[in-house]
Amino acid sequence: MAASGGAARRCWRSGAGLARALRGICGSGRATAAVRAEELAERLRKSEEQQREIPKDPTQRWLRELAAMSQQLQQVHPNVLAKILKQRTLYQNEEIVVIDKPYGLPVHGGPGIKNCIADVLPILAKMLENMKAEPLHLCHRLDKETTGVMVLARSKEAAEKIRLLFKTRQVEKIYWAIVLGDPDPVEGVVEIPIVEKEVQSHQSHYKMTLAPNYRLCPEDGKVMKIRGNRHAERAVTRYRRLAAASACSLLELQPITGVKHQIRVHLAYGLGCPILGDHKYSHWSKLAPQKLPELTLRRLKLEQSKARHLPLHLHAHRLCLPLGQPLDFVCKLPLFFQKTLRKLELDIPKD
């Protein structure tokens, strides 16, 4: 009995020891889990701080500010957006209002778009005139990423008159763009029809592209006229180089016709000089960030992996409207465009 009682006591002691050991292991597990949770929370906190943190590198800071500005324009109240546009008014009379369109603001609404110029025109009209003012009217459009001169009309009659001037090519439009490469020749006219086509890839999408009505004869290399695409639109763009440096050029462009994405397509596919920051038309069959020359990356102090953040450098610089007497409007370059010119050492001509 004594032996059996001793065995029982040993058994109890070993069982108690095992229980204590198990409790220790479980406690250790809980402690480890708690530590891991704390570490994870700390990492998340640091990650959020880094996202909020202002980058030390000026280029990264500039790109982030530009992206933030574009997002803010989509998040502000329509009244605030109308006030921003009012502050960017360049000219107004009894027929028209001319504004400096900011970067990243679409003209028309669509999927995923909260704010656009068209939606705030009634508010803008009241801010510029009075509460009984008729809503302003769109006369033409600019791409979401394009900045510069934009004309609005105060009445339907004025809008129709101005649209007719655009349609009959009586409005002179001058754009400035920074492009990759150097056009050859440095001045000329691109006259190639444009058509919209579906791009067959792992992520199908639509793009505007060239639809030339000629081809080179393989035997003698002579130009042969061929039947044109019946869906293609005539497109004509004049261009001239203003400056060249850092594997880039500053071009002055005059679109004679008004086809969708005309300048971007003619420069990228016609001249082989895509606009800086034009990620859509720098490739045909894929959706990918623009590939930049090494020299350009060095001057911009940018890594290729960050190139996707570069904005489109296309600006509606000047517009001449023949309303009775010709009205000539010039819009200065946005700050991000000016900074890029300085970084790339592209000198704006004095004339």
Side-chain angles (χ1 to χ4, degrees), residues 326-344:
L327 297 171
D328 206 349
F329 307 109
V330 176
C331 188
K332 68 178 184 179
L333 294 167
L335 285 176
F336 78 86
F337 201 118
Q338 294 179 41
K339 285 182 181 179
T340 303
L341 287 174
R342 286 196 296 271
K343 286 171 182 283
L344 295 176

Side-chain angles (χ1 to χ4, degrees), residues 128-201:
L128 290 170
E129 198 171 339
N130 57 55
M131 293 304 290
K132 295 180 180 179
E134 182 184 339
L136 293 165
H137 302 267
L138 295 170
C139 301
H140 62 119
R141 58 163 291 162
L142 294 174
D143 290 345
K144 175 185 173 182
E145 298 86 1
T146 304
T147 57
V149 182
M150 186 168 185
V151 180
L152 306 169
R154 288 192 182 274
S155 66
K156 287 182 180 178
E157 294 74 25
E160 286 170 6
K161 182 165 62 174
I162 293 165
R163 285 177 198 141
L164 184 61
L165 291 174
F166 274 96
K167 189 175 180 180
T168 54
R169 298 165 196 161
Q170 296 181 61
V171 179
E172 185 181 353
K173 300 166 287 180
I174 301 294
Y175 290 74
W176 279 13
I178 300 175
V179 302
L180 301 183
D182 200 6
D184 184 19
V186 295
E187 184 173 349
V189 178
V190 181
E191 186 170 0
I192 308 174
I194 291 175
V195 70
E196 188 170 34
K197 282 187 179 179
E198 183 177 8
V199 180
Q200 299 292 342
S201 66

Side-chain angles (χ1 to χ4, degrees), residues 35-317:
V35 169
R36 284 177 183 163
E38 285 176 10
E39 287 176 354
L40 181 60
E42 182 66 16
R43 282 202 297 270
L44 286 169
R45 185 183 64 77
K46 285 182 178 178
S47 174
E48 287 172 0
E49 283 179 357
Q50 285 170 1
Q51 286 175 7
R52 289 194 299 267
E53 197 175 81
I54 298 171
K56 293 179 181 177
D57 179 62
T59 302
Q60 298 299 327
R61 190 164 62 244
W62 157 60
L63 291 173
R64 183 174 290 189
E65 285 169 1
L66 199 63
M69 183 186 72
S70 183
Q71 289 170 2
Q72 286 164 7
L73 288 174
Q74 284 299 301
Q75 293 166 0
V76 298
H77 190 277
N79 287 0
V80 177
L81 181 57
K83 191 173 182 180
I84 291 169
L85 295 179
K86 181 189 175 185
Q87 291 168 349
R88 299 175 74 96
T89 300
L90 303 174
Y91 173 85
Q92 58 178 313
N93 63 16
E94 65 280 356
E95 282 192 297
I96 62 170
V97 173
V98 181
I99 62 167
D100 172 10
K101 180 192 166 298
Y103 173 84
L105 180 63
V107 173
H108 296 284
I113 293 174
K114 292 181 181 177
N115 278 333
C116 66
I117 291 175
D119 288 348
V120 299
L121 292 182
I123 306 169
L124 180 59
K126 288 178 173 62
M127 286 183 175
L128 290 170
E129 198 171 339
N130 57 55
M131 293 304 290
K132 295 180 180 179
E134 182 184 339
L136 293 165
H137 302 267
L138 295 170
C139 301
H140 62 119
R141 58 163 291 162
L142 294 174
D143 290 345
K144 175 185 173 182
E145 298 86 1
T146 304
T147 57
V149 182
M150 186 168 185
V151 180
L152 306 169
R154 288 192 182 274
S155 66
K156 287 182 180 178
E157 294 74 25
E160 286 170 6
K161 182 165 62 174
I162 293 165
R163 285 177 198 141
L164 184 61
L165 291 174
F166 274 96
K167 189 175 180 180
T168 54
R169 298 165 196 161
Q170 296 181 61
V171 179
E172 185 181 353
K173 300 166 287 180
I174 301 294
Y175 290 74
W176 279 13
I178 300 175
V179 302
L180 301 183
D182 200 6
D184 184 19
V186 295
E187 184 173 349
V189 178
V190 181
E191 186 170 0
I192 308 174
I194 291 175
V195 70
E196 188 170 34
K197 282 187 179 179
E198 183 177 8
V199 180
Q200 299 292 342
S201 66
H202 69 285
Q203 193 177 351
S204 291
H205 55 285
Y206 285 86
K207 277 186 185 178
M208 306 304 286
T209 189
L210 301 178
N213 49 14
Y214 59 86
R215 67 180 178 86
L216 295 178
C217 180
E219 287 78 21
D220 54 14
K222 289 184 178 178
V223 176
M224 293 175 56
K225 194 164 179 66
I226 59 173
R227 181 182 293 178
N229 187 317
R230 63 190 179 93
H231 299 294
E233 294 182 71
R234 180 172 176 261
V236 183
T237 308
R238 289 197 187 111
Y239 72 93
R240 72 182 180 106
R241 190 185 71 185
L242 301 177
S246 311
C248 292
S249 300
L250 173 64
L251 301 186
E252 181 183 82
L253 304 139
Q254 184 182 3
I256 307 302
T257 53
V259 180
K260 179 183 175 182
H261 295 173
Q262 173 180 316
I263 291 175
R264 297 165 68 180
V265 173
H266 272 174
L267 291 178
Y269 301 150
L271 290 175
C273 296
I275 298 173
L276 182 65
D278 194 350
H279 308 290
K280 180 168 187 169
Y281 288 106
S282 290
H283 315 277
W284 169 249
S285 60
K286 59 182 178 179
L287 294 168
Q290 188 176 53
K291 177 73 174 169
L292 300 180
E294 283 297 325
L295 178 57
T296 307
L297 287 169
R298 283 202 305 275
R299 290 282 168 82
L300 291 175
K301 295 181 180 175
L302 193 67
E303 297 173 10
Q304 179 57 48
S305 60
K306 304 292 184 184
R308 68 184 183 278
H309 300 302
L310 266 179
L312 182 77
H313 286 69
L314 178 62
H315 177 69
H317 176 60

